[in-house]
Amino acid sequence: QVQLVESGGGSVQAGGSLRLSCSASEGSFSINAMSWYRQAPGKQRDLVATIISGGATHYVDSVKGRFTISRDNAKNAVYLQMNSLKPEDTGVYYCNVDFQFTGGSVVAWGQGTQVTVSS
């Protein structure tokens, strides 16, 4: 069973930066898309950014130009560099990875890491 471990959350003031990391345990799989989602208090979990196996990226409009998603295929890891943070970026951030096994694909979630941005 593949596990995802997240790190890098914390509390910062508006305008600050944080870098989130998510790594998968080793196994016999390839990875398709890797994504970050955000769940603000009292709201649903929404997609923030995605990076696919070829390196193409997608961002929600509210983070374009401020956040950068990247991946290290050798480490089975995905990162989210967050700059110019705003209070509305506050929430629990989850990584989401689409694994491809011989028998099919499996989507896994990280445990979540809290990001709090104060004004």
Side-chain angles (χ1 to χ4, degrees):
Q1 184 177 357
V2 179
Q3 292 186 329
L4 298 175
V5 177
E6 298 183 32
S7 62
S11 298
V12 296
Q13 292 190 327
S17 297
L18 286 171
R19 185 173 187 254
L20 307 183
S21 300
C22 173
S23 60
S25 55
E26 294 184 356
S28 299
F29 53 78
S30 59
I31 294 177
N32 300 321
M34 307 179 84
S35 304
W36 288 96
Y37 284 73
R38 174 172 67 201
Q39 188 164 20
K43 297 188 176 181
Q44 66 182 20
R45 192 175 300 184
D46 292 325
L47 178 66
V48 174
T50 295
I51 183 167
I52 64 174
S53 58
T57 57
H58 165 79
Y59 299 93
V60 65
D61 285 347
S62 62
V63 307
K64 284 181 180 178
R66 301 188 298 120
F67 289 12
T68 302
I69 189 170
S70 61
R71 61 191 286 172
D72 185 333
N73 292 327
K75 296 181 179 180
N76 295 327
V78 60
Y79 309 98
L80 187 67
Q81 178 65 44
M82 305 184 293
N83 299 327
S84 302
L85 282 161
K86 303 177 180 179
E88 51 263 42
D89 294 319
T90 293
V92 179
Y93 284 70
Y94 298 89
C95 64
N96 173 286
V97 178
D98 182 7
F99 294 93
Q100 187 66 47
F101 294 88
T102 302
S105 65
V106 174
V107 175
W109 291 90
Q111 82 277 14
T113 186
Q114 177 70 45
V115 171
T116 302
V117 185
S118 59
S119 58

